[in-house]
Amino acid sequence: MPSVHPRHPRVMTVAMASLFVLGAAAPALATPHASGSPTAASGHHRAPLPTSYTIPGDKTYPEGIARQQGTPYFYVGSTSDGTVYRGDVHQSATTVFLPGGQDGRVSVAGMKTDTAGRLVVAGGATGKVFVYDTRTRALLHVFDTGRTDVFLNDVALAPNGDVYISDSTHPALWHITAEELKSRRVQQPLQVGVDLSRSPMVYDAGFNGNGLVVTGDGRYVLLADYNDYAFYRVDVRTHQVVRIDLGGAKGVSGDGLLLRGRTLTAVTELDHPEGQISTLELSHDYTRARLVRTVRGHGMHSPSTAAFDGHDLLIVNFQFQITDPHLPFDVVRVHAR
């Protein structure tokens, strides 16, 4: 979710109503390698995969995406009404999976699917995280902060099954344990995992904590401070917060983050409405990063985040605060290598 930034004045209300008078769609990019995205159905593709996936509605403004491993499915959420759409990587159109407004889900941001087939959805200004069974569409949990001064933005999964959620307006890293996800209790409080109020990560006006990932050993959360073009390593055991040294790289921001090994991929539209994908190589202790390459364009238009699909990236064209949208909204495929 983009920010209120000094060079791009933006207005945010608790209901985030101002987000939804937006738009401007993207052209498809060149067809990627058909072998880039494994699915459960087969080990190869009979035809090239679609280069873009359309999302219904003229006020959808999709923000989060989750690629469900072991299946051909991905999920995309609407910030404007909370609808969750499901797509099949082999088909160019998505369909409604969870209608907006149900269960108090009136807006959604980041989302992830876990190995148990659960879809974990951050509810933005609702202060809630919703968890669904992707097989039955049943509501499994609602984790509630009980606060009105939060914006639950993105979701990251830890190797042990825990979940971490970034907050863009309140200095906290929220935490759901694997045990809480296994519980039969539907309504549960959402607990603070790490208090960021006295950390080096300073929360200013606008959007702060945004994209996040968990390292392979489960020890650290890497969290983007969107406003400040900064990244932090958060130790989930000691709660120590260290700013990651970007080696002098400028203009690197993370609305959405992806991590493979020590390769960090950051997606942003900040200062770049044509989209920007930054690839960074991290040091062994995740305190330093080297910018390897930057990619712009390729069908991106004000993107928010991405999901891996094999060697490809599925990029969500959020189109934040673009007043005259070129429809349809879509997800575009970018070959990442």
Side-chain angles (χ1 to χ4, degrees):
M1 177 73 67
S3 70
V4 178
H5 191 271
R7 281 174 278 180
H8 299 283
R10 295 168 176 172
V11 179
M12 181 183 73
T13 66
V14 172
M16 299 302 289
S18 64
L19 291 180
F20 312 130
V21 189
L22 327 170
L29 58 150
T31 301
H33 299 297
S35 61
S37 329
T39 69
S42 66
H44 64 282
H45 296 297
R46 297 176 182 174
L49 294 171
T51 58
S52 66
Y53 303 89
T54 60
I55 302 170
D58 59 2
K59 292 182 173 62
T60 304
Y61 307 104
E63 203 275 346
I65 186 169
R67 175 69 172 92
Q68 187 172 19
Q69 298 305 307
T71 79
Y73 300 125
F74 65 91
Y75 301 85
V76 180
S78 167
T79 51
S80 61
D81 67 3
T83 300
V84 175
Y85 300 88
R86 185 166 73 179
D88 183 318
V89 295
H90 303 100
Q91 301 173 9
S92 60
T94 63
T95 58
V96 172
F97 181 71
L98 299 170
Q102 290 185 345
D103 312 314
R105 183 177 27 81
V106 295
S107 178
V108 296
M111 56 182 65
K112 290 290 186 297
T113 53
D114 67 10
T115 56
R118 292 179 287 243
L119 176 66
V120 183
V121 179
T126 68
K128 298 176 181 179
V129 173
F130 304 89
V131 184
Y132 293 91
D133 187 322
T134 58
R135 291 175 292 269
T136 66
R137 294 181 167 89
L139 175 68
L140 301 177
H141 305 290
V142 178
F143 294 94
D144 193 350
T145 63
R147 304 183 68 111
T148 59
D149 61 344
V150 300
F151 192 93
L152 305 184
N153 198 324
D154 208 353
V155 176
L157 305 179
N160 67 351
D162 286 6
V163 176
Y164 293 92
I165 304 99
S166 63
D167 193 324
S168 293
T169 58
H170 180 71
L173 178 65
W174 300 90
H175 180 210
I176 300 170
T177 68
E179 290 71 24
E180 288 173 321
L181 286 172
K182 293 174 184 176
S183 167
R184 294 188 176 183
R185 291 177 57 204
V186 176
Q187 301 290 334
Q188 298 187 57
L190 182 59
Q191 306 289 350
V192 174
V194 180
D195 182 352
L196 300 173
S197 62
R198 291 179 293 275
S199 77
M201 183 175 175
V202 178
Y203 271 58
D204 301 313
F207 274 63
N208 300 273
N210 208 322
L212 76 168
V213 290
V214 183
T215 58
D217 58 5
R219 176 71 182 270
Y220 303 112
V221 169
L222 308 183
L223 176 61
D225 184 342
Y226 195 71
N227 267 349
D228 292 341
Y229 299 86
F231 299 84
Y232 291 87
R233 188 197 73 176
V234 182
D235 191 318
V236 298
R237 300 177 193 170
T238 67
H239 297 187
Q240 180 192 38
V241 180
V242 176
R243 182 164 179 159
I244 298 173
D245 181 358
L246 299 182
K250 304 295 184 183
V252 180
S253 182
D255 193 343
L257 295 184
L258 297 171
L259 183 67
R260 276 182 171 168
R262 291 203 297 271
T263 300
L264 183 69
T265 301
V267 177
T268 187
E269 57 80 51
L270 189 59
D271 296 337
H272 298 285
E274 77 280 22
Q276 177 173 291
I277 302 170
S278 302
T279 303
L280 303 105
E281 288 298 326
L282 295 157
S283 63
H284 72 281
D285 62 355
Y286 307 101
T287 61
R288 299 182 308 281
R290 178 177 61 91
L291 180 63
V292 175
R293 64 180 174 272
T294 300
V295 175
R296 300 190 183 108
H298 294 278
M300 293 186 289
H301 282 255
S302 294
S304 53
T305 191
F308 283 125
D309 187 40
H311 296 311
D312 294 345
L313 296 176
L314 300 180
I315 306 280
V316 184
N317 279 329
F318 182 21
Q319 304 176 83
F320 181 68
Q321 281 197 338
I322 298 174
T323 57
D324 187 17
H326 177 205
L327 302 175
F329 291 101
D330 63 358
V331 170
V332 294
R333 178 179 293 275
V334 176
H335 193 59
R337 289 187 174 181

